Amino acid sequence: MEQDTPPIPELIRQTLSEPRRAANRILEMDLPASALWQSLVLVVILSVLAAKVTALITGVEPATGAEMLMAGFTANPLMLGFVQGALLVVVVFSVHWIGRSMGGLGTFEGALALVTWLQFLLVCLQVAQGLAALILPPLAGLIGLAGIVIFFWLLTQFVCQLHGFRNPGMVFVMILISMLGVVFAMSMLLAVFGAIFLGEVPNV
């Protein structure tokens, strides 16, 4: 049964204090797939904007070859949005397929809703990190580290709630293994495109 949408600040607070109850509220909204895909696109756009604004605030330029390579991929906002969107779609399908293969009961729409909400929270952290970089730069690094911890903690709790799993430790291990596989695949793709990219850069 579709539920009324709770206020965003309230849902953020509950997500950080009671992630499983917040996840259940999101799932109970029973939003249609079309609205969920639109929401995913929206959070990707917000994430790209936050990343670009943060880069303008900090003014950090890539120094190493690897950083220059990544800058080549992400300098174009469309490319950055495509990469982030593709990664989120991979996460959504992974949460659904791997969870179902392990006996989970969650739906694809549920996985899409929870991953989209998690990405929105990360965008909020991006904004906080950008403000911290402007006011108190050392704090920005701490917020970045906190974001990593929050991401894995919330994703673990969300997957447990979505699929009805009772062992968060095992879920966390499966998330790490799955992400290592995704990172390996993405690294192979970046290596191929990187060779092409670097091959076009003249030697100085």
Side-chain angles (χ1 to χ4, degrees):
M1 180 178 179
E2 187 172 346
Q3 303 291 321
D4 292 334
T5 303
I8 289 180
E10 176 188 341
L11 192 55
I12 291 176
R13 178 197 59 78
Q14 188 175 49
T15 300
L16 296 176
S17 60
E18 300 174 289
R20 294 200 188 192
R21 290 189 63 183
N24 192 55
R25 292 183 71 177
I26 293 171
L27 295 174
E28 287 180 345
M29 293 181 203
D30 196 22
L31 297 173
S34 58
L36 293 173
W37 283 116
Q38 292 171 13
S39 299
L40 184 68
V41 172
L42 177 60
V43 296
V44 169
I45 293 173
L46 293 175
S47 180
V48 171
L49 290 175
K52 289 300 180 182
V53 170
T54 300
L56 289 174
I57 291 175
T58 58
V60 176
E61 296 292 337
T64 67
E67 290 173 340
M68 291 177 66
L69 174 58
M70 291 306 299
F73 284 114
T74 60
N76 187 327
L78 292 178
M79 179 62 71
L80 178 58
F82 174 79
V83 171
Q84 291 194 3
L87 286 173
L88 283 177
V89 170
V90 169
V91 172
V92 171
F93 277 95
S94 297
V95 168
H96 176 63
W97 285 340
I98 297 176
R100 296 286 290 192
S101 69
M102 299 296 292
L105 305 175
T107 64
F108 177 80
E109 289 77 10
L112 179 57
L114 293 178
V115 171
T116 299
W117 175 247
L118 180 55
Q119 179 61 25
F120 174 75
L121 293 179
L122 294 180
V123 171
C124 293
L125 281 175
Q126 277 183 284
V127 173
Q129 189 174 20
L131 293 175
L134 182 63
I135 301 171
L136 189 62
L139 182 59
L142 294 177
I143 293 176
L145 292 175
I148 296 174
V149 174
I150 290 172
F151 169 78
F152 282 105
W153 176 58
L154 290 181
L155 183 59
T156 299
Q157 298 300 320
F158 282 2
V159 170
C160 287
Q161 184 66 32
L162 173 66
H163 289 295
F165 296 144
R166 296 187 177 182
N167 189 340
M170 182 61 67
V171 170
F172 176 68
V173 171
M174 291 306 301
I175 288 174
L176 288 181
I177 294 174
S178 302
M179 287 196 168
L180 285 175
V182 171
V183 169
F184 177 76
M186 293 298 295
S187 298
M188 296 295 291
L189 291 175
L190 286 175
V192 172
F193 286 109
I196 298 173
F197 177 78
L198 292 177
E200 296 176 353
V201 178
N203 294 325
V204 179

